[in-house]
Amino acid sequence: DADVTQTPRNRITKTGKRIMLECSQTKGHDRMYWYRQDPGLGLRLIYYSFDVKDINKGEISDGYSVSRQAQAKFSLSLESAIPNQTALYFCATSDLNGGDIQYFGAGTRLSVL
Amino acid sequence: AQSVTQPDIHITVSEGASLELRCNYSYGATPYLFWYVQSPGQGLQLLLKYFSGDTLVQGIKGFEAEFKRSQSSFNLRKPSVHWSDAAEYFCAVGDPTGGGNKLTFGTGTQLKVEL
């Protein structure tokens, strides 16, 4: 969905480096999410935020941190990347008034060498 | 805790044939249910959703799904598959209580369409 933009689309980095993945949305939604996708495991929730002052850990938050800079921006950071964080990362947004349906960005493919 | 099972990792069908993708969930009450599709190199697109009411829901691209409470299932169907339907399909469960809707996804079913 073009209304949810993730940058970069692809990134290769080395073990130990700090990486930030960014997500911005023009849908006006309050709620934003970060997922990672691994083959055979589906999508797993890393962090979610229901508004600018609300940040919550998801199923697999260890090794990650997030920042909700504004209603429209939600960044995911890997403070010290490790190879098993190689995955496809998705940002999503939703609006409680819209039935909380989640809309996804196109994803960021991250490789940690 | 809620969970979702998609028992078929891969499915191959011929173009024009009917399709049914299985989804079973575990949840204490009636959850929100979703089917998403992911085409290669793309994000996830919502096909259809069930919140309440009519248990047969219609979605985009000619897909439908039926909620069966007694079987804890929400199977996705299409009467006639097109080659462009080749993609990965994810079933997801949402918790309608607790002020939020964190989704739990199944592991996905990869659909291949033979011409």
Side-chain angles (χ1 to χ4, degrees):
Chain A
D1 190 322
D3 298 327
V4 183
T5 302
Q6 293 184 234
T7 56
R9 291 295 312 277
N10 294 280
R11 181 72 183 267
I12 299 173
T13 190
K14 295 181 178 180
T15 297
K17 294 292 187 180
R18 184 179 187 275
I19 291 293
M20 179 180 286
L21 309 183
E22 299 186 346
C23 177
S24 62
Q25 52 112 347
T26 58
K27 300 184 78 68
H29 290 170
D30 288 327
R31 301 179 170 196
M32 299 187 73
Y33 310 78
W34 276 105
Y35 292 89
R36 66 176 279 174
Q37 182 182 25
D38 299 277
L41 295 179
L43 279 76
R44 292 178 292 167
L45 183 64
I46 305 172
Y47 271 96
Y48 62 101
S49 168
F50 286 166
D51 64 43
V52 174
K53 298 180 181 179
D54 177 77
I55 302 289
N56 303 280
K57 292 182 177 180
E59 179 186 354
I60 53 164
S61 59
D62 287 348
Y64 301 94
S65 62
V66 291
S67 172
R68 185 81 184 266
Q69 300 96 324
Q71 184 202 38
K73 295 183 181 296
F74 192 37
S75 299
L76 176 72
S77 293
L78 289 67
E79 296 300 326
S80 179
I82 56 177
N84 76 1
Q85 291 177 312
T86 294
L88 185 56
Y89 290 86
F90 286 105
C91 174
T93 74
S94 72
D95 178 4
L96 182 60
N97 293 327
D100 236 350
I101 296 169
Q102 292 189 23
Y103 297 89
F104 286 79
T108 294
R109 186 168 296 281
L110 176 66
S111 296
V112 183
L113 305 179
Chain B
Q2 60 206 45
S3 65
V4 181
T5 301
Q6 293 181 247
D8 303 306
I9 299 173
H10 300 279
I11 283 185
T12 300
V13 299
S14 299
E15 189 175 36
S18 64
L19 172 70
E20 182 170 30
L21 302 183
R22 295 183 291 165
C23 173
N24 293 95
Y25 68 88
S26 174
Y27 184 72
T30 298
Y32 291 163
L33 294 161
F34 306 83
W35 275 100
Y36 283 87
V37 60
Q38 183 181 23
S39 298
Q42 303 296 315
L44 278 74
Q45 181 183 20
L46 181 69
L47 284 175
L48 47 78
K49 63 188 183 297
Y50 174 79
F51 287 171
S52 65
D54 192 344
T55 57
L56 184 63
V57 294
Q58 302 297 321
I60 62 171
K61 304 184 179 185
F63 286 93
E64 66 178 26
E66 186 172 11
F67 169 59
K68 292 186 177 180
R69 186 191 310 274
S70 61
Q71 298 177 19
S72 297
S73 68
F74 188 58
N75 294 349
L76 181 71
R77 301 193 295 248
K78 187 170 184 178
S80 178
V81 170
H82 188 263
W83 64 266
S84 60
D85 293 325
E88 190 158 22
Y89 292 80
F90 292 94
C91 180
V93 167
D95 180 358
T97 65
N101 191 16
K102 297 173 291 176
L103 296 182
T104 298
F105 285 84
T107 53
T109 297
Q110 187 73 47
L111 175 65
K112 179 180 177 182
V113 180
E114 292 182 330
L115 301 177

